Amino acid sequence: EGLGSATMHVRRCCRAAARGLLQQRRRRLSGAAHMHVQDEVRAALAEGRPVVALESTIISHGMPYPENVAVAKRVEAVVRAGGAVPATIGILHGEVHVGLGDAELELLATADDVRKCSRRDLAFAMAHGMHGATTVSGTMVVAAAAGIDVFVTGGTGGVHRGGELSLDVSADLTELGRTPVAVVSAGVKSILDIPRTLEYLETSGVPVCTYRSEEFPAFFTPRSGIMMPRSRVDAAGDAADVFFQNKFVLGLDNGMLFAVPPPEGNDAENLYENMERWVAQAVEEARGQVDGADVTPFILARVRDLSAGASQELNVSLVLNNAEVGTAMAVQLANYKRELLEDGGDDDAGLSLSLRPSPGPSPSPSRNPSLKGGGG
């Protein structure tokens, strides 16, 4: 009887702590005076509605104009169609913006002096009144400060090929180890060393989950040869539940990576062998020509040229697919948080809160034939 009473007390304390953490996160937005939060985004966060963060590097450094703007708007449209509010993040004239309008997207897409902003670059860009496009790392920092839990991107950075000698490791990995945001991507960029990247994330205590697959994707293809059968989630609600436990029940400050295979039905499998050859050539050409933050844009541009644009088409396809999955996850996570805040009495539901997906938007099976069964 004493043990049962103690267990019930622990469960009540955990639920109370989770509620307190949720309320604290919600109050943080009002203190983010250094940010320009779009009215639509601010209202959604204040009301507990789902918001999905989007990066801006793909706009300024990832694609040529005007396709970059068109793709950014398509991704935002996917988020809206899934029932969430998109919040593209960037820096304009030294001020952080959470949510960009059409004119602001155009500015980032066409300006010549847009700085690529990781965590280390944010303060410098702000102090010097610069324009900045946020990377995965920079976007995570701002999203967490604004109270946004889910961030969708194409692929994250990682350990570069040869990184065991050059120590060229993306700040995205360290950010995942210290910033509590769920990152939904097609794995890490295929130009990187995927096995070493996963080893780094494991050392940093970052949970990595594969979505509806037991194999970690390699950005352009679902095949990397790296199997992760114990970290598979089969629905957006499952992914949301895992992140909820990590952030709001355990109160951990690390992020999580949810790796989504690219849509089936494209030419990724047919192009994979050529893609590896093009990547290897681009990596070799980059040596001695560029370094630091310029390496990834250089390699991606060369692969785009060598593939006659095929790599960019695949990139757009997988970003849109990630947006569907990430939005469904954000919707379920918002449901979980609302249930917890509204639950006034049942503190005996268990330490894990036993939250299960409620009906809600799920990725469209027609867009990705591999998405079968129940939705988010």
Side-chain angles (χ1 to χ4, degrees):
E1 180 180 355
L3 180 60
S5 176
T7 301
M8 292 172 60
H9 176 69
V10 169
R11 288 173 175 172
R12 291 191 184 98
C13 289
C14 287
R15 291 176 69 84
R19 289 194 193 99
L21 182 57
L22 277 172
Q23 292 164 347
Q24 178 184 11
R25 302 278 186 192
R26 188 169 291 183
R27 287 194 297 268
R28 288 182 65 180
L29 179 62
S30 62
H34 60 287
M35 297 182 187
H36 286 262
V37 182
Q38 196 175 50
D39 289 344
E40 180 186 22
V41 176
R42 183 181 294 276
L45 290 171
E47 296 165 9
R49 291 185 284 117
V51 177
V52 174
L54 303 169
E55 62 160 295
S56 49
T57 298
I58 192 174
I59 301 171
S60 61
H61 295 79
M63 296 180 184
Y65 182 82
E67 185 172 0
N68 50 4
V69 175
V71 170
K73 291 182 178 180
R74 288 176 65 188
V75 175
E76 290 194 346
V78 169
V79 173
R80 292 187 188 282
V85 174
T88 301
I89 291 172
I91 300 176
L92 300 174
H93 305 289
E95 297 178 337
V96 176
H97 286 251
V98 182
L100 300 178
D102 290 347
E104 294 157 337
L105 287 174
E106 286 283 338
L107 177 57
L108 279 182
T110 57
D112 295 327
D113 56 346
V114 178
R115 186 184 182 102
K116 186 178 177 184
C117 287
S118 182
R119 168 188 279 262
R120 69 169 186 177
D121 306 290
L122 294 172
F124 189 91
M126 293 169 67
H128 289 81
M130 303 172 69
H131 302 319
T134 52
T135 64
V136 169
S137 170
T139 304
M140 288 182 70
V141 170
V142 177
I148 302 173
D149 294 317
V150 179
F151 162 39
V152 167
T153 184
T156 67
V159 179
H160 279 259
R161 301 185 186 196
E164 71 276 15
L165 299 177
S166 67
L167 297 182
D168 192 350
V169 179
S170 171
D172 297 351
L173 302 188
T174 52
E175 206 61 55
L176 277 162
R178 62 187 172 190
T179 302
V181 171
V183 178
V184 180
S185 77
V188 300
K189 296 182 178 71
S190 58
I191 64 176
L192 305 170
D193 187 327
I194 296 176
R196 284 191 171 92
T197 296
L198 292 174
E199 289 288 350
Y200 190 106
L201 289 172
E202 179 182 359
T203 300
S204 302
V206 176
V208 178
C209 294
T210 53
Y211 186 77
R212 292 186 178 174
S213 173
E214 294 186 355
E215 186 170 5
F216 189 82
F219 195 62
F220 291 125
T221 170
R223 310 281 178 257
S224 69
I226 301 173
M227 307 305 294
M228 305 181 67
R230 297 183 178 180
S231 301
R232 172 174 173 158
V233 292
D234 286 311
D238 294 335
D241 197 355
V242 173
F243 181 72
F244 186 93
Q245 304 298 329
N246 190 80
K247 179 172 181 176
F248 296 107
V249 177
L250 295 174
L252 300 181
D253 288 331
N254 58 275
M256 296 187 67
L257 177 61
F258 293 88
V260 181
E264 294 182 1
N266 58 34
D267 295 328
E269 289 300 304
N270 296 331
L271 289 171
Y272 180 58
E273 290 186 5
N274 285 329
M275 198 70 72
E276 278 297 293
R277 177 168 54 83
W278 293 327
V279 168
Q281 179 179 337
V283 169
E284 186 61 31
E285 292 177 5
R287 291 195 178 100
Q289 291 194 50
V290 293
D291 57 19
D294 295 326
V295 172
T296 297
F298 176 89
I299 294 176
L300 291 177
R302 284 296 293 139
V303 171
R304 181 177 64 239
D305 293 341
L306 292 168
S307 66
S311 66
Q312 183 164 302
E313 293 178 10
L314 292 175
N315 194 358
V316 173
S317 175
L318 63 87
V319 169
L320 295 174
N321 185 63
N322 294 344
E324 289 189 21
V325 175
T327 300
M329 180 180 171
V331 169
Q332 292 293 352
L333 186 60
N335 289 340
Y336 293 170
K337 292 161 67 176
R338 183 172 58 252
E339 289 172 15
L340 181 62
L341 289 172
E342 292 176 352
D343 180 8
D346 184 9
D347 287 327
D348 299 330
L351 177 61
S352 67
L353 309 182
S354 299
L355 293 172
R356 295 264 60 87
S358 58
S362 61
S364 169
S366 62
R367 282 288 307 280
N368 185 349
S370 68
L371 304 184
K372 301 175 182 178

